[in-house]
Amino acid sequence: MSTDSTDGTDGPVTEEITVTVNGEPVTAAVEPRLKLSDFLRYECDLNGVRVGCEHGVCGACTVQQDGRTVKSCLSYAVQADGAEIETVEGLDDDGSLHPIQEAFHETHALQCGFCTSGFVMATKELLEENPDPTREEIETGLADNICRCTGYQNIYEAVEHAAEKMEE
Amino acid sequence: MSRSQPTEVGDDADAESESFTGQGLPRVEDHRILTGKAEFIHDITPDNCLHMALVRSMHAHAEIESIETSEAKAHPDCELVLTAEDLKAEYNPMPTGIESVETEDGEADLFEWSLADEKARFVGEPVVAIVASNRYAAEDIADLVTVEYNSIDAVADGMAAREDDVVVHEHAGTNVVDHERIEFGDPSGAFDDADTVVEGDYSWGRISGVPLETAGVVARYDEDGDSFDIDCNIQLHTLVDNMIYETLGYGEDDVRVNVPADVGGSYGTKIGIHRYCCLAAMASQQLEQPVKFEEDRIENLQGGDMHCSDREYEMRMAVDDDGTIRGLEVWFVDDFGAYPRYPVNQVLKPLSVVTNSYDIEDVTYEYDLVLTNKTSQTAYRGFGVDPHIYALEMVVDKAAREIGMDPTEFRRRNMIQPEQMPYTLPSKNIYDSGDYPATLDRIQEIIDDERDGGLLDPEVVEAKREEGKYRGVQPSVIIEPGVSGSDWTDRQRSDRDALEDRDRDDVEELPEHLRATLEDDGTVTASLATDSSGQGHQTLVSQLLADELEILPSDIEVDYLDSIDAPTEYGSAASRMAVMLSGATVGLAEKFVANAKAVAADHWGVSGEDISYRDGALERIDTGDSLSLADLAAIDDADRRLTQVSYNYDHPATEFEEFDEAFSRKFPVYPTAAFGANAPIVEVDVETGEVDILTFHTVRDCGTMLNPMIVEGQAHGGIAQGIGASLLEEFGYEDDGQPQAITLFDYLLPSIENVPEIQMEHTETPSPYTETGAKGVGEGGMIDAPASIATSINAALEPLGIDEPADQIPVAPDHIRKNVRDLE
Ligand code: FES
Ligand code: FES
């Protein structure tokens, strides 16, 4: 969305923020009410941040902020001032997939793919904390993300497969 | 074969093996999605793009007295304000599923304008459209509009609506806008003659697909060409594009509807998003600038024209004491909400599986399709079959109990036998192939294993009961009708008497269209005329075409045609694509190879017969000279015989006389019958009323599996949606028409915690009617899981003497608690 005032005088009030996004600093003047999800999607062109509900239930907008997953639709960009954000775009290495991404591909853990960025990011946090999770731990770790297509069966497989890959 | 485990192969791996078809080839769609690069509709924002927001009615039923927009117009970011009055000056109402009803004074139209005209008929109905420089501003401005309403009584219950105390479209005089009673065989004879008649009432709550991605549109009006370009995530864009161009008042070729390669789920629901497309297009025409609309989740749930079946059933079954089902009577009301939109034929699709897996000759099928003050219905996976199967399996259970027979034995006794295949239903559709009793036997074996030291071990079951937890299971064999023909879908708009002796030659079917072009580098681009929303059509076609052309899937790109480039066709719905695309691929490849031979023949100056085609290369038989596809692409062929080679695959049922009667009378034609049996082991906590599915066994058959990984994925997803439908999801309404579920906190989608392990087995009984033996497979889990869960809950609570605790879907905890309390 546009940040400069429409007529030069009494346009929206903006605040300048600097956020490190996927390792690159981004400075922008944003309205205080701009959601972090919209900042990432529209200011940073990171469309891998998906928006499915804008009220904190579906998890499609999940990103990492300072190493912890957050639902980016639930916070404002200004709250991320000075923070480090990682999105799904930060995972692959010049097109070669991260082991978690590979695992999702190989186990058919995505169909429409609208939830996938969120699941991949949630899986990343889960495996960082617990490199060899049980099914129950996977269930708990991914309980904040909704997938409407896969019935989760292959998502379990993907997480387990990713854990194996990352161990190697 | 125990747990569902996709075959692990790398892309293009197993190039050595005989064929790609039949392998669980990982999908070509995945890479762009996983890296965040896939472009979904909400990711498209052209330069100069404006944004639309909608003011929606907060009333279920209200006269619109006035709309005050001056404050909105005065906002510096406001570009446009549209009301029904503006629309009526230039555009048309949107086409509906039932255009008019007969009244004493002639025909009454059921017009639906894209913005409410004079009256709002449901909460969430759009009344005013605002366009502004960005989405935040557009929503601010929407708040500045003041609409004065005169709220009137509403009706929000399908059964009550039949009384016509409140009429949603007053001038129509009634809420019952369609009704039909069809008799097959001699139902009254059967009911008179049978030993017992069993009756049951069942209720199916309003649910929907609720894809994670909401609806979206970017519309651009081109003044020079006086035409529109509309990017959107509508489903069936080559079929329902008329909803858009007719509303705009333009011809088919003036409105290009284009769907991104990636759509974030639809499951039928996005067939109904045309209102947004129309409004964005109108706004862009008024402003001569691109206009974008992103639906938000609350809009989507409350007034997004996307709910589905909402039914009350009264079932009757005539049974003899020896366990023979003599007759079936189905009566139901479907509450369609405020407007009878496109999917009115959801009330008819159950005819394609009217007796499910049972051999019953005498059947009555009757329904009332009613309007109420709720958001309108769209399609959802199963298309009205899911509630029918649920109600049928419930009354089958009840009948078995009433005559004192084991419900599984009762089912077995009435089952269609393999030697009856192909089996013609009383409603004239045909089941192609399958051994239903064997499937029932197999699921019973699995259950017996659970009884022997597993989840249903008598000792465990007994111990659990002490804790107030009741376990049970009750399987049945359930049919998934696949590969809809299209002709029947306008039965509601046809003269029913005239259909009695309609001619077979009058039947019109829509073939599946597929195209291919040889690229300069020798690779092949195939173009789909359908849209996709996660089913892996690009993978499927590259896999099938690779086999037919004897090249690698990675040498085939698959893209999509827009509504102008593609002919009008049906597209991706009704469990069609595996069958239609495989048929189309075979035909297309034959044509492509013939053309390739013709080009090579001209090049060598020989006849086509002197050339062979193998492994993606042409060989001149006499000299052994050969041309690769890349060599062929370098030949300058004036006739461009390898550019846009196209093929139309006819609907398979049109080939077989057996389907003639169903076709000519516009009864649903679904020539493939995938089938399966489920054993969800449920545990009901009588203290809390909660139902836990401990594990979900399923034995399924969809004929030849083209890509087993995708087949299993479809089954997993369908079953998960079936679990949601049967236990969690519902769009409830207050009596005054206020919706109760407008966020995902109220409309509960199943999370990973609600979906148990699904233990799947397959059998493969090829369809005799399709090119590859494949059967349609997109909807099965959603069709069969709710019925199986409901009958399993009945079984679990039977020891308590509770009669049919699952008589309403979803089986919510408070309903179970009520049943338990009534007992106490
Ligand atoms: S979009 Fe953030 S949780 Fe759904
Ligand atoms: S893949 Fe469609 S929502 Fe998860």
Side-chain angles (χ1 to χ4, degrees):
Chain A
M1 68 182 281
S2 100
T3 51
D4 48 9
S5 57
T6 34
D7 56 8
T9 49
D10 48 86
V13 182
T14 60
E15 200 171 300
E16 189 173 284
I17 59 169
T18 300
V19 187
T20 306
V21 183
N22 296 330
E24 300 286 329
V26 179
T27 300
V30 300
E31 276 191 72
R33 65 174 177 173
L34 182 70
K35 289 190 172 205
L36 177 58
S37 49
D38 283 347
F39 170 75
L40 294 168
R41 286 177 52 74
Y42 298 115
E43 294 285 330
C44 308
D45 284 331
L46 296 169
N47 288 332
V49 180
R50 308 285 171 204
V51 169
C53 69
E54 297 177 283
H55 53 254
V57 180
C58 75
C61 64
T62 303
V63 301
Q64 281 201 347
Q65 179 165 339
D66 297 327
R68 303 288 309 176
T69 55
V70 297
K71 287 175 171 168
S72 61
C73 72
L74 284 187
S75 62
Y76 296 103
V78 290
Q79 295 172 289
D81 189 20
E84 290 201 27
I85 300 279
E86 187 172 22
T87 72
V88 77
E89 284 92 342
L91 289 192
D92 65 298
D93 187 5
D94 270 335
S96 76
L97 298 179
H98 185 280
I100 296 174
Q101 293 170 317
E102 268 175 13
F104 271 69
H105 173 57
E106 287 161 11
T107 58
H108 187 39
L110 59 151
Q111 291 182 28
C112 80
F114 203 77
C115 68
T116 307
S117 309
F119 270 98
V120 167
M121 296 311 287
T123 302
K124 182 163 179 275
E125 182 180 58
L126 170 66
L127 294 181
E128 278 164 1
E129 288 174 358
N130 181 355
D132 187 20
T134 61
R135 291 239 150 178
E136 286 72 40
E137 287 163 347
I138 296 174
E139 191 176 302
T140 312
L142 301 182
D144 283 342
N145 291 65
I146 300 281
C147 173
R148 194 58 166 154
C149 297
T150 64
Y152 306 102
Q153 302 301 303
N154 292 344
I155 292 179
Y156 283 112
E157 308 282 341
V159 177
E160 286 168 351
H161 193 40
E164 282 162 28
K165 281 174 183 272
M166 286 165 75
E167 207 182 313
E168 282 160 15
Chain B
M1 209 160 57
S2 62
R3 222 193 22 225
S4 120
Q5 180 74 267
T7 339
E8 275 183 32
V9 289
D11 302 346
D12 267 359
D14 274 7
E16 301 299 300
S17 115
E18 292 276 285
S19 76
F20 297 107
T21 309
Q23 288 188 48
L25 226 51
R27 305 189 319 162
V28 299
E29 291 87 348
D30 291 354
H31 193 278
R32 62 178 188 254
I33 293 172
L34 283 159
T35 53
K37 298 202 176 66
E39 194 172 69
F40 291 88
I41 185 67
H42 298 322
D43 304 331
I44 300 174
T45 312
D47 289 344
N48 212 17
C49 187
L50 301 170
H51 297 257
M52 184 169 81
L54 299 171
V55 178
R56 293 173 182 262
S57 171
M58 283 145 22
H59 299 272
H61 203 187
E63 284 151 5
I64 298 170
E65 310 250 280
S66 66
I67 303 176
E68 176 53 51
T69 61
S70 51
E71 217 184 316
K73 284 180 177 153
H75 189 285
D77 288 334
C78 182
E79 301 282 346
L80 182 71
V81 177
L82 287 176
T83 64
E85 217 168 292
D86 304 309
L87 268 47
K88 289 171 79 179
E90 268 182 76
Y91 305 103
N92 300 317
M94 299 182 282
T96 55
I98 295 170
E99 278 140 15
S100 60
V101 286
E102 272 178 45
T103 67
E104 280 164 15
D105 328 312
E107 299 269 297
D109 295 322
L110 296 173
F111 282 158
E112 182 182 21
W113 289 91
S114 308
L115 295 171
D117 173 37
E118 291 170 21
K119 209 172 164 195
R121 292 189 171 87
F122 61 93
V123 173
E125 183 170 10
V127 180
V128 182
I130 302 290
V131 181
S133 49
N134 69 66
R135 189 173 172 224
Y136 286 71
E139 288 184 10
D140 287 346
I141 297 166
D143 283 345
L144 301 176
V145 172
T146 312
V147 184
E148 293 279 350
Y149 295 99
N150 175 26
S151 182
I152 50 185
D153 284 347
V155 58
D157 174 83
M159 295 294 263
R162 296 174 64 243
E163 308 297 322
D164 288 331
D165 292 337
V166 171
V167 178
V168 179
H169 296 262
E170 273 163 347
H171 61 289
T174 180
N175 295 314
V176 183
V177 294
D178 187 41
H179 164 265
E180 188 157 18
R181 180 189 168 91
I182 313 174
E183 287 190 4
F184 302 103
D186 176 19
S188 41
F191 275 82
D192 286 349
D193 202 41
D195 294 331
T196 314
V197 172
V198 180
E199 299 181 347
D201 294 352
Y202 309 104
S203 161
W204 177 274
R206 212 165 229 254
I207 53 162
S208 190
V210 189
L212 272 206
E213 177 199 51
T214 55
V217 196
V218 177
R220 301 172 190 78
Y221 172 69
D222 172 32
E223 206 198 352
D224 299 336
D226 190 20
S227 61
F228 297 84
D229 258 313
I230 301 176
D231 290 308
C232 61
N233 53 5
I234 203 163
Q235 185 181 338
L236 302 186
H237 71 291
T238 72
L239 185 71
V240 302
D241 56 338
N242 70 311
M243 301 280 159
I244 306 169
Y245 64 74
E246 286 180 25
T247 306
L248 294 172
Y250 277 76
E252 189 172 359
D253 288 342
D254 300 319
V255 180
R256 185 181 298 276
V257 179
N258 187 46
V259 178
D262 295 295
V263 170
S266 176
Y267 329 106
T269 63
K270 284 175 181 159
I271 295 173
I273 68 158
H274 50 274
R275 177 201 304 275
Y276 300 136
C277 305
C278 297
L279 287 171
M282 293 167 190
S284 97
Q285 183 173 35
Q286 301 301 316
L287 293 161
E288 291 177 17
Q289 238 176 291
V291 173
K292 174 169 177 170
F293 177 70
E294 284 178 72
E295 182 186 50
D296 77 26
R297 181 56 66 190
I298 293 169
E299 297 183 282
N300 168 261
L301 296 173
Q302 125 184 308
D305 309 312
M306 53 68 81
H307 295 177
C308 195
S309 306
D310 181 352
R311 294 187 184 170
E312 298 297 328
Y313 274 93
E314 293 178 12
M315 305 291 281
R316 297 178 78 226
M317 184 164 265
V319 198
D320 280 346
D321 292 339
D322 68 354
T324 309
I325 303 177
R326 298 287 306 280
L328 172 68
E329 201 176 290
V330 180
W331 182 93
F332 67 100
V333 170
D334 199 345
D335 169 354
F336 260 69
Y339 294 90
R341 283 176 153 232
Y342 156 85
V344 287
N345 40 53
Q346 288 188 98
V347 293
L348 290 171
K349 181 173 172 185
L351 287 173
S352 64
V353 289
V354 70
T355 60
N356 191 24
S357 52
Y358 310 110
D359 188 13
I360 311 170
E361 282 171 22
D362 301 310
V363 177
T364 305
Y365 188 85
E366 183 174 12
Y367 66 83
D368 275 351
L369 193 160
V370 306
L371 303 185
T372 61
N373 294 109
K374 300 183 187 172
T375 187
S376 304
Q377 279 194 22
T378 183
Y380 176 33
R381 203 171 201 168
F383 205 59
V385 169
D386 32 350
H388 174 81
I389 294 286
Y390 155 72
L392 177 57
E393 289 300 331
M394 286 293 291
V395 78
V396 166
D397 248 19
K398 185 168 193 173
R401 279 196 304 273
E402 284 200 13
I403 62 161
M405 190 176 277
D406 170 71
T408 304
E409 179 51 30
F410 181 64
R411 286 175 163 90
R412 184 177 287 113
R413 234 170 232 237
N414 289 286
M415 205 149 266
I416 296 163
Q417 298 299 310
E419 55 278 9
Q420 289 175 279
M421 295 291 170
Y423 174 85
T424 304
L425 289 157
S427 48
K428 310 305 171 199
N429 190 38
I430 297 168
Y431 292 158
D432 50 356
S433 62
D435 187 340
Y436 304 162
T439 301
L440 190 63
D441 290 346
R442 178 61 198 138
I443 203 79
Q444 192 55 48
E445 270 172 36
I446 294 171
I447 294 170
D448 290 344
D449 283 348
E450 291 283 15
R451 291 207 167 110
D452 183 14
L455 292 168
L456 293 173
D457 191 83
E459 275 180 33
V460 181
V461 170
E462 202 38 58
K464 283 282 167 190
R465 274 186 205 162
E466 302 286 306
E467 298 170 30
K469 295 187 171 162
Y470 285 73
R471 290 187 177 182
V473 66
Q474 178 55 56
S476 43
V477 175
I478 296 175
I479 316 299
E480 171 186 3
V483 201
S484 176
S486 59
D487 190 77
W488 71 274
T489 59
D490 60 3
R491 182 178 166 90
Q492 267 98 349
R493 287 189 291 274
S494 311
D495 184 301
R496 303 258 167 85
D497 295 331
L499 291 178
E500 290 298 316
D501 39 32
R502 178 172 176 248
D503 202 76
R504 174 66 180 79
D505 296 334
D506 294 334
V507 175
E508 278 179 46
E509 269 307 306
L510 295 167
E512 183 66 33
H513 179 84
L514 193 63
R515 259 179 228 183
T517 291
L518 178 63
E519 304 294 344
D520 291 347
D521 58 1
T523 62
V524 175
T525 302
S527 303
L528 293 169
T530 180
D531 41 72
S532 310
S533 44
Q535 306 92 326
H537 297 142
Q538 288 174 303
T539 301
L540 187 63
V541 168
S542 65
Q543 192 172 3
L544 291 161
L545 195 57
D547 279 335
E548 296 302 318
L549 295 179
E550 302 173 41
I551 59 180
L552 293 176
S554 55
D555 286 330
I556 298 168
E557 277 283 325
V558 183
D559 63 17
Y560 292 86
L561 300 173
D562 62 40
S563 68
I564 296 185
D565 287 340
T568 294
E569 62 147 45
Y570 200 127
S572 155
S575 299
R576 294 176 92 245
M577 296 324 282
V579 168
M580 295 305 281
L581 283 177
S582 52
T585 307
V586 171
L588 175 68
E590 264 172 34
K591 204 165 155 189
F592 187 92
V593 168
N595 287 7
K597 283 186 181 170
V599 174
D602 290 353
H603 175 73
W604 280 319
V606 296
S607 118
E609 273 141 47
D610 302 326
I611 297 173
S612 67
Y613 179 91
R614 202 158 55 92
D615 295 338
L618 296 124
E619 190 182 289
R620 179 169 167 178
I621 295 164
D622 56 353
T623 62
D625 287 349
S626 100
L627 288 171
S628 67
L629 286 179
D631 298 333
L632 205 63
I635 295 172
D636 187 20
D637 173 29
D639 299 332
R640 298 172 55 83
R641 279 167 288 183
L642 293 170
T643 303
Q644 308 251 5
V645 182
S646 72
Y647 184 78
N648 291 320
Y649 174 64
D650 282 325
H651 188 271
T654 55
E655 301 279 302
F656 298 92
E657 274 177 18
E658 298 94 297
F659 291 95
D660 283 3
E661 187 176 357
F663 266 128
S664 21
R665 296 180 60 192
K666 283 191 192 273
F667 289 137
V669 173
Y670 283 77
T672 72
F675 57 98
N678 300 324
I681 314 285
V682 306
E683 181 178 285
V684 187
D685 183 332
V686 293
E687 288 302 312
T688 63
E690 262 167 279
V691 178
D692 191 10
I693 302 172
L694 304 174
T695 195
F696 196 109
H697 294 284
T698 182
V699 179
R700 313 182 76 83
D701 190 320
C702 64
T704 309
M705 290 195 278
L706 303 175
N707 183 323
M709 194 178 77
I710 291 178
V711 165
E712 294 199 342
Q714 288 292 319
H716 291 151
I719 289 169
Q721 289 181 328
I723 290 171
S726 49
L727 298 178
L728 301 168
E729 301 173 29
E730 186 174 17
F731 290 108
Y733 277 82
E734 305 288 346
D735 290 343
D736 64 0
Q738 285 296 327
Q740 294 168 325
I742 61 166
T743 72
L744 294 183
F745 293 107
D746 330 300
Y747 190 86
L748 302 175
L749 298 174
S751 82
I752 196 165
E753 292 176 301
N754 306 114
V755 183
E757 187 180 352
I758 298 171
Q759 306 195 58
M760 197 181 317
E761 287 183 13
H762 298 281
T763 53
E764 284 191 74
T765 315
S767 172
Y769 296 138
T770 66
E771 190 71 47
T772 53
K775 303 186 182 193
V777 75
E779 299 163 287
M782 180 58 213
I783 290 173
D784 53 53
S788 305
I789 293 167
T791 54
S792 295
I793 294 172
N794 287 346
L797 293 180
E798 203 185 348
L800 282 178
I802 299 181
D803 184 34
E804 305 200 291
D807 61 353
Q808 67 179 47
I809 289 278
V811 190
D814 60 337
H815 186 64
I816 301 238
R817 279 297 303 148
K818 185 177 171 302
N819 272 289
V820 174
R821 268 200 312 273
D822 288 351
L823 215 64
E824 285 163 0

